[in-house]
């Protein structure tokens, strides 16, 4: 029996030892952490360089105490810390409770430890605001600060601004409209004190003990400054204007593995006050996170909240966590955008089509109106041509009868006979014009025959000899090249030439606005080319009063009593001759070729040597 008991005891002992070895093996496995480079963001309240000098020994200490981890200090401002935490550029942060609460509303964070101050007997409540002025200032109370110029580090600074605003709120003041000029200078903190010393501003809100540290460093003199609403809590070394809040704390992001946060927390708790890392960081060590009730109450009273991160950052973070849904939504957004752009393109296309259609309808309506006017004019013109044909025929017959009578009498009255011959010639010409007008109105084919263009031009000018004298107009024809006969309608071309010259005379006579003064001149250039003749009419009158397109449209005139048909008929006649008819101001044509003058109107006619039809 004793032997059996001995065997049972041995078996239990071996099992216990085996279990103990298994736990030890598991613990060693847990401590074999993967190699990681971890970045710790700290508030650079004294600048980036000072921040690195202060906290790098603490990072070296953690790198030694946490296996498989290498820590780097990253001094940052408030906004940069928020941005880098959002981008996962930092995994830890050492900051004040106000910044922690601002960040924790957007990023999952966890407190690991609260720092014990190296001053004030190692207290964990070492954040407050001290309001300072110059020693010779007339500001003695908080009420005296109303309307004054003041500087602070930043709106997210608990000790550098928010604590002072909480004090004013508790005293019954409205902080938003309390100061006359409030500016935030950011980090480092020393320039805030210098602004008061140099009388740039009248007061400054500084973090607790900032003034005393600068005095101890020899940066400023104690006798140059005064503290507003000063208190010296029992056991503390510095004056403060507000109540005190919990000290800086060490916080970790949710992405950090639990094994590492547990190892860091243990290392912080084990830090001795005499360690180089503690001395450099100006701390007596770290303790468990203390209650943040005071900070919560302050934020609740003042509703101090930092603005939320930009929308695009929130969207990017959500997509990072929900990649599948984010990809689907992004694809849907792209498809919707492309579809919207396509709809907008089609809508614009339809709109342009509708506008163009409306414009065409308006043009058609105008054309219809002009056609109606032309039809009415055609009927009137046909009637007039019919009625005028009889008296013209009578004049022709009378003139021919007179000539025959003179011949029968045998009287050689050459002057009378010449007059009757001219009357007969002009009556025949008038009859031809009437017949042509009837042909134009009825759209008859042009009667083409070989003509001497120089003779047509001279005959047309003879008709205006009296008009040229009456208006004191100098008319001159210049012919270049070898003249040749054209195939065309003599009456129609005479009508065109007469209409152009009549328009020039009307311009000189004052029938249009801005008639020219001084010498009145009309110049005609006739240029014979190989297969065409070019005729240029110039006058130095006032020029065109409207665009050429408008003036050549039917029923458009700048004359008081004009019908607006002359240029339209001219264009139609030249078109029937397969020619070109253009009008413009001399100033425009002078850019292409040399002209005798710059003012006035220029009409250009180009006629081919033979008509195709």
């Amino acid at each position: 029996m004793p032997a059996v008991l001995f065997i049972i005891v041995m078996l239990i002992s071996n099992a216990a030892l085996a279990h103990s070895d298994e736990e030890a093996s598991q613990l060693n496995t847990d401590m074999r952490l993967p190699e990681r480079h971890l970045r710790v963001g700290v508030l650079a309240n004294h600048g980036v360089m000072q921040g690195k000098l202060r906290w790098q020994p603490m990072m070296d200490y953690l790198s030694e105490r946490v296996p498989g981890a290498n820590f780097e200090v990253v001094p940052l401002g408030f906004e940069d810390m928020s941005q880098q935490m959002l981008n996962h550029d930092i995994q830890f942060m050492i900051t004040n409770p106000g910044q922690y609460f601002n960040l924790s509303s957007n990023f999952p964070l966890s407190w690991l430890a609260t720092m014990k101050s190296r001053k004030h007997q190692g207290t964990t409540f070492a954040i407050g605001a001290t309001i300072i002025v110059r020693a010779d200032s007339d500001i003695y109370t908080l009420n005296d600060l109303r309307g004054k110029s003041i500087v602070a580090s930043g709106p997210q600074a608990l000790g550098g601004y928010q604590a002072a605003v909480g004090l004013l709120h508790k005293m019954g003041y409205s902080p938003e409209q309390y100061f006359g000029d409030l500016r935030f200078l950011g980090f480092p903190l020393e320039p805030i004190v210098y602004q008061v010393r140099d009388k740039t501003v009248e007061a400054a809100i500084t973090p607790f003990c900032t003034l005393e540290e600068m005095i101890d460093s020899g940066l400023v003199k104690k006798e140059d400054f005064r503290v507003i609403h000063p208190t010296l809590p029992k056991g503390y070394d510095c004056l403060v204007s507000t109540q005190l809040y919990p000290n800086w704390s060490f916080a970790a992001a949710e992405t950090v593995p639990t094994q590492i946060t547990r190892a860091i927390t243990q290392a912080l708790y084990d830090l001795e006050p005499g360690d180089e890392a503690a001395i450099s960081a100006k701390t007596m060590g770290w303790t468990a996170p203390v209650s943040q009730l005071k900070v919560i109450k302050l934020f609740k009273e003042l509703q101090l909240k930092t603005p939320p991160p930009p929308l695009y950052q929130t969207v990017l973070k959500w997509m990072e966590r929900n990649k599948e849904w984010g990809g689907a939504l992004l694809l849907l957004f792209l498809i919707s955008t492309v579809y919207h752009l396509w709809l907008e393109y089609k809508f614009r296309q339809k709109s342009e089509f509708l506008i163009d259609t409306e414009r065409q309808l308006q043009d058609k309506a105008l054309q219809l109106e002009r056609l109606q006017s032309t039809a009415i004019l055609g009927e009137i013109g046909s009637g007039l041509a019919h009625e005028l044909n009889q008296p013209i025929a009578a004049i022709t017959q009378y003139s021919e009868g007179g000539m025959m009578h003179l011949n029968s009498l045998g009287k050689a009255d050459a002057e009378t006979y010449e007059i009757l011959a001219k009357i007969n010639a002009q009556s025949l010409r008038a009859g031809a014009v009437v017949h042509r007008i009837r042909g134009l109105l009825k759209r008859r084919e042009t009667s083409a025959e070989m003509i001497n263009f120089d003779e047509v031009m001279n005959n047309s000018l003879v008709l205006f000899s009296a008009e040229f004298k009456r208006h004191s107009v100098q008319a001159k024809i210049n012919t270049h090249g070898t003249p040749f006969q054209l195939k065309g309608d003599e009456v129609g071309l005479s009508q065109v030439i007469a209409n152009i010259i009549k328009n020039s005379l009307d311009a000189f006579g004052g029938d249009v606005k801005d008639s020219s003064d001084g010498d009145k001149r009309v110049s005609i250039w006739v240029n014979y080319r190989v297969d065409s003749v070019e005729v240029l009419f110039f006058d130095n009158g006032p020029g065109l009063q409207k665009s050429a397109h408008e003036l050549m449209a039917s029923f458009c005139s700048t004359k008081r009593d004009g019908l607006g048909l002359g240029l339209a008929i001219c264009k139609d006649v030249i078109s029937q001759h397969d020619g070109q008819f253009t009008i413009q101001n001399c100033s425009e044509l002078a850019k292409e070729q040399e002209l005798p003058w710059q003012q006035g109107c220029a009409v250009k006619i180009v006629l081919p040597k033979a008509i195709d039809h």
Side-chain angles (χ1 to χ4, degrees):
M1 187 69 179
V4 173
L5 292 173
F6 177 74
I7 292 172
I8 294 173
V9 169
M10 290 298 293
L11 291 172
I12 294 173
S13 299
N14 289 335
L17 288 173
H19 181 68
S20 177
D21 291 342
E22 184 180 351
E23 288 184 345
S25 176
Q26 181 66 32
L27 180 60
N28 290 335
T29 302
D30 292 341
M31 292 304 292
R32 288 197 297 270
L33 300 174
E35 186 69 20
R36 286 175 175 269
H37 180 76
L38 302 172
R39 305 177 81 230
V40 182
V42 298
L43 281 181
N45 52 358
H46 291 286
V48 174
M49 186 61 66
Q50 289 297 323
K52 289 184 176 181
L53 292 175
R54 178 181 178 184
W55 291 103
Q56 189 56 51
M58 182 69 70
M59 301 302 106
D60 297 339
Y61 168 79
L62 292 176
S63 299
E64 294 175 1
R65 295 296 299 270
V66 180
N70 179 31
F71 292 86
E72 176 192 358
V73 62
V74 184
L76 299 167
F78 291 110
E79 294 183 0
D80 292 336
M81 186 173 289
S82 301
Q83 184 64 45
Q84 294 213 20
M85 185 63 72
L86 173 66
N87 298 336
H88 304 295
D89 293 332
I90 58 174
Q91 293 75 42
F92 302 92
M93 66 178 187
I94 302 174
T95 185
N96 64 58
Q99 175 75 352
Y100 168 79
F101 282 115
N102 289 330
L103 290 174
S104 62
S105 62
N106 297 307
F107 318 108
L109 300 172
S110 58
W111 279 131
L112 302 183
T114 297
M115 189 172 70
K116 295 188 291 185
S117 175
R118 196 157 188 86
K119 294 182 178 182
H120 325 303
Q121 303 176 5
T123 181
T124 55
F125 281 78
I127 293 181
T130 303
I131 305 173
I132 63 171
V133 297
R134 282 181 56 87
D136 56 359
S137 172
D138 57 355
I139 301 173
Y140 292 94
T141 64
L142 292 174
N143 188 59
D144 295 336
L145 289 171
R146 187 188 302 276
K148 304 299 183 181
S149 59
I150 194 166
V151 291
S153 58
Q156 300 181 45
L158 179 59
Y161 178 68
Q162 294 172 346
V165 173
L167 173 64
L168 293 173
H169 188 274
K170 189 173 294 185
M171 299 288 290
Y173 302 117
S174 177
E176 292 77 12
Q177 293 85 28
Y178 190 71
F179 303 114
D181 179 28
L182 173 62
R183 291 185 292 117
F184 297 108
L185 303 184
F187 296 142
L189 298 172
E190 286 78 5
I192 298 176
V193 179
Y194 295 151
Q195 292 268 316
V196 176
R197 181 197 64 183
D198 300 336
K199 298 183 180 181
T200 305
V201 295
E202 296 169 285
I205 302 174
T206 62
F208 180 48
C209 283
T210 299
L211 179 61
E212 286 79 1
E213 289 174 359
M214 292 181 66
I215 292 172
D216 294 341
S217 301
L219 298 176
V220 294
K221 297 179 181 179
K222 181 179 180 180
E223 59 269 18
D224 292 340
F225 299 93
R226 237 182 328 106
V227 176
I228 302 300
H229 199 264
T231 58
L232 183 63
K234 186 177 180 180
Y236 284 79
D237 307 326
C238 305
L239 293 174
V240 65
S241 302
T242 67
Q243 63 174 320
L244 296 172
Y245 297 90
N247 206 355
W248 285 19
S249 295
F250 201 114
E254 65 168 352
T255 56
V256 181
T258 305
Q259 300 94 322
I260 294 181
T261 57
R262 194 162 53 226
I264 292 174
T265 303
Q266 187 61 49
L268 291 175
Y269 291 169
D270 294 342
L271 181 65
E272 296 293 335
D275 194 292
E276 180 185 355
I279 296 172
S280 177
K282 300 178 182 179
T283 177
M284 292 290 289
W286 300 83
T287 186
V290 300
S291 171
Q292 306 294 328
L293 183 60
K294 281 189 174 182
V295 181
I296 294 173
K297 286 184 176 180
L298 173 65
F299 277 34
K300 187 175 181 181
E301 288 176 2
L302 303 182
Q303 296 181 347
L304 289 172
K305 294 182 180 179
T306 56
L311 179 60
Y312 77 92
Q313 294 181 357
T314 306
V315 172
L316 290 177
K317 186 175 181 182
W318 182 89
M319 290 186 66
E320 187 176 345
R321 293 181 179 178
N322 305 272
K323 293 181 179 178
E324 295 79 8
W325 285 104
L329 289 176
L330 181 60
L331 180 61
L332 180 62
F333 173 76
L334 292 176
I335 294 174
S336 301
T337 302
V338 172
Y339 182 67
H340 171 74
L341 293 175
W342 181 80
L343 287 178
E344 186 175 354
Y345 168 75
K346 298 300 290 183
F347 176 77
R348 185 176 301 174
Q349 207 175 33
K350 293 293 184 183
S351 299
E352 291 176 355
F353 174 75
L354 290 174
I355 293 173
D356 186 59
T357 303
E358 183 182 5
R359 188 182 300 112
Q360 291 180 8
L361 289 174
Q362 291 176 351
D363 292 341
K364 295 295 183 183
L366 182 59
Q367 291 176 12
L368 179 59
E369 182 180 350
R370 288 177 175 174
L371 286 173
Q372 291 174 346
S373 301
T374 304
I376 295 172
L377 184 64
E379 295 177 3
I380 297 173
S382 296
L384 287 174
H386 177 73
E387 295 297 329
L388 290 174
N389 205 25
Q390 294 180 1
I392 291 175
I395 294 173
T396 303
Q397 292 175 2
Y398 284 135
S399 61
E400 288 178 352
M403 293 167 63
M404 293 173 62
H405 181 67
L406 286 176
N407 287 332
S408 64
L409 292 177
K411 295 181 179 179
D413 191 350
E415 184 177 355
T416 304
Y417 190 87
E418 183 181 357
I419 292 173
L420 290 174
K422 288 183 178 180
I423 292 173
N424 181 259
Q426 293 304 319
S427 65
L428 291 173
R429 188 171 183 275
V433 170
V434 169
H435 285 295
R436 172 157 186 85
I437 291 175
R438 293 183 66 182
L440 286 174
L441 294 173
K442 294 182 178 181
R443 296 292 178 185
R444 289 179 180 171
E445 295 255 340
T446 301
S447 176
E449 57 184 0
M450 299 305 295
I451 59 173
N452 186 329
F453 188 75
D454 284 348
E455 185 178 341
V456 173
M457 180 68 69
N458 291 326
N459 291 338
S460 299
L461 288 177
V462 169
L463 297 176
F464 294 95
S465 300
E467 292 291 327
F468 287 151
K469 292 180 180 179
R470 186 162 64 90
H471 289 283
S472 301
V473 175
Q474 301 176 19
K476 184 178 180 182
I477 299 179
N478 294 320
T479 302
H480 304 277
T482 303
F484 52 78
Q485 288 191 334
L486 296 176
K487 189 174 183 181
D489 181 8
E490 180 179 357
V491 176
L493 294 177
S494 299
Q495 187 178 356
V496 171
I497 297 169
N499 189 77
I500 294 172
I501 296 174
K502 183 65 170 62
N503 286 341
S504 297
L505 290 173
D506 288 342
F508 290 135
D511 288 341
V512 296
K513 295 180 180 179
D514 302 326
S515 60
S516 60
D517 297 326
D519 294 338
K520 301 172 184 179
R521 291 178 289 173
V522 174
S523 181
I524 303 172
W525 292 357
V526 181
N527 300 320
Y528 285 95
R529 298 177 179 175
V530 176
D531 55 355
S532 65
V533 58
E534 180 186 78
V535 187
L536 294 173
F537 296 84
F538 307 100
D539 66 57
N540 62 344
L544 301 181
Q545 306 301 307
K546 293 184 179 181
S547 67
H549 178 73
E550 290 179 292
L551 291 173
M552 284 194 289
S554 300
F555 307 106
C556 178
S557 176
T558 57
K559 303 176 185 178
R560 296 187 185 93
D561 301 323
L563 292 177
L565 293 173
L567 292 177
I569 294 175
C570 291
K571 183 179 179 182
D572 184 74
V573 171
I574 299 301
S575 297
Q576 290 180 9
H577 285 77
D578 296 334
Q580 300 175 13
F581 182 85
T582 58
I583 59 172
Q584 59 189 134
N585 284 315
C586 291
S587 57
E588 297 175 5
L589 188 60
K591 299 176 182 177
E592 303 175 6
Q593 62 185 93
E594 186 177 354
L595 299 180
W597 50 74
Q598 299 290 321
Q599 182 183 351
C601 177
V603 180
K604 182 177 180 180
I605 298 174
V606 179
L607 294 170
K609 192 172 183 180
I611 304 175
D612 293 338
H613 54 79

